[in-house]
Amino acid sequence: MKGKVCVFGSFNLDIVAGMARFPQPGESLIARNSMMGAGGKGANQATAALRAGARVHYIGKVGRDDFGSFARRHLAGAGFDAVTLFSTGECPTGNALIYVAGEDAENMIAVDPGANLTFSDEEVRQCRPAIAAADILLTQLENNLSAIEQVVAIAREANTFVILNPAPFQPVPDSLLAQVDLLTPNATECTLLTGVQVRDLASARRAAQVLHAKGIRLLIVTLGTQGALFSDGERSEPIPAFPAQPKDTTGAGDAFNGALAAQLANNVPLSDAARFAAAYAAVCVERAGAAASMPSYEEARERQRAPVS
Ligand code: RIB
Ligand code: NA
């Protein structure tokens, strides 16, 4: 039986332009290519968890507009076990304008979270059965904090394991951190959460101590091409990065988190799960788009087997 992941998180309509370089202020620059597709950290992580081998219930909120109709259609055909999609007439569907440029296929993103920030307490209450039925709750910081806090509290009470990917960074109260089972910041988020400048494994280890002191039990700090650091407060372990030829790094963190959640839901031990997630993210960055760039379980396994040069 496949494990169940409930993803509570954002949906954004992403419009991506591939550029030779980033434009300057005031400049109009011709793109090499463009695409639109499903994005938002929530929808991306849900897609990754699904393709990495979990049963997934995705919960999100969109506007009553064309992008919202796109979201509904897209999510209905994505293969999730269940989708709960709330809607509002007050705000647009979340959207992101993304430039991808340069040798490392870095991105620059302008996000309008729109409907993602409008979850009411009552809507979150309706999500209780889905959260309670899951092995893992996976959530991010792209929704209103009031909803995230409530969702995490529900999971806690129902004994559902909580993974919080604190992205994009917004200040979070220690009371929320204390309820999280596994926190997965990247270097920037980890720096902002701790005040420790995180750039490598050694500084990530120092930051880890600060987070453990705040009540975080399990921590994975992702460090891009330097891999990741896993820490449980007593010991820490470096997780190697897998080689990749980046084409579009959008969604790399989401790939890691979704794959990690799927593995944990399927009872894979944390350090093996993190290694798989790193391989999964390496394949994701070689493809254009966000949700569309999430590889299959098999593709990530193949990357894990490939010899590291
Ligand atoms: O993590 C990548 C995502 O961040 C994109 O899909 C975009 O929507 C932004 O929310
Ligand atoms: Na990608």
Side-chain angles (χ1 to χ4, degrees):
M1 251 317 242
K2 284 183 179 178
K4 282 191 193 169
V5 177
C6 177
V7 179
F8 179 92
S10 57
F11 180 97
N12 290 332
L13 191 293
D14 287 358
I15 300 175
V16 189
M19 313 291 295
R21 61 173 172 82
F22 292 112
Q24 301 287 320
E27 181 184 18
S28 292
L29 189 63
I30 304 297
R32 286 174 165 165
N33 52 61
S34 67
M35 62 178 283
M36 73 155 217
K41 295 183 195 302
N44 295 344
Q45 294 185 18
T47 306
L50 174 74
R51 296 197 184 152
R55 299 172 57 186
V56 176
H57 187 143
Y58 169 70
I59 302 169
K61 187 162 180 179
V62 296
R64 294 192 194 107
D65 49 18
D66 288 346
F67 288 180
S69 309
F70 172 90
R72 208 167 281 283
R73 254 194 337 271
H74 170 85
L75 293 166
F80 297 119
D81 254 32
V83 173
T84 303
L85 201 58
F86 295 98
S87 68
T88 172
E90 313 275 294
C91 279
T93 298
N95 59 82
L97 306 177
I98 305 179
Y99 296 139
V100 176
E103 219 151 89
D104 300 328
E106 278 201 289
N107 59 38
M108 201 179 243
I109 310 185
V111 184
D112 176 5
N116 292 305
L117 295 182
T118 68
F119 271 100
S120 70
D121 290 356
E122 174 49 31
E123 285 166 337
V124 178
R125 260 196 296 280
Q126 290 172 30
C127 303
R128 189 174 202 293
I131 297 166
D135 300 298
I136 308 260
L137 169 77
L138 174 59
T139 191
Q140 313 77 28
L141 295 179
E142 220 165 25
N143 298 102
N144 45 308
L145 195 59
S146 57
I148 298 162
E149 287 185 290
Q150 203 185 336
V151 160
V152 169
I154 291 172
R156 265 269 75 110
E157 206 189 282
N159 265 321
T160 300
F161 186 94
V162 177
I163 305 178
L164 174 66
N165 173 224
F169 178 79
Q170 57 166 303
V172 284
D174 288 356
S175 58
L176 174 62
L177 292 181
Q179 296 196 64
V180 168
D181 291 294
L182 169 60
L183 188 76
T184 59
N186 68 14
T188 309
E189 291 142 12
C190 194
T191 297
L192 292 167
L193 282 165
T194 61
V196 176
Q197 190 65 47
V198 175
R199 10 182 169 65
D200 51 18
L201 285 168
S203 47
R205 273 192 201 97
R206 287 196 299 277
Q209 292 319 316
V210 176
L211 287 167
H212 289 309
K214 287 184 197 278
I216 290 294
R217 207 157 58 76
L218 302 167
L219 176 72
I220 296 179
V221 184
T222 56
L223 299 165
T225 53
Q226 296 184 73
L229 179 80
F230 163 65
S231 168
D232 67 5
E234 266 150 37
R235 41 169 224 108
S236 67
E237 183 185 329
I239 309 292
F242 287 83
Q245 260 101 51
K247 181 167 176 221
D248 178 355
T249 51
T250 311
D254 300 331
F256 185 92
N257 279 278
L260 184 70
Q263 291 267 293
L264 295 179
N266 288 325
N267 292 316
V268 175
L270 197 38
S271 109
D272 294 337
R275 280 161 209 274
F276 173 84
Y280 190 92
V283 182
C284 164
V285 303
E286 296 183 345
R287 301 179 180 179
S293 69
M294 298 305 167
S296 68
Y297 173 88
E298 264 317 314
E299 288 167 316
R301 273 281 175 250
E302 250 164 60
R303 182 62 52 100
Q304 260 190 307
R305 285 191 292 261
V308 179
S309 51

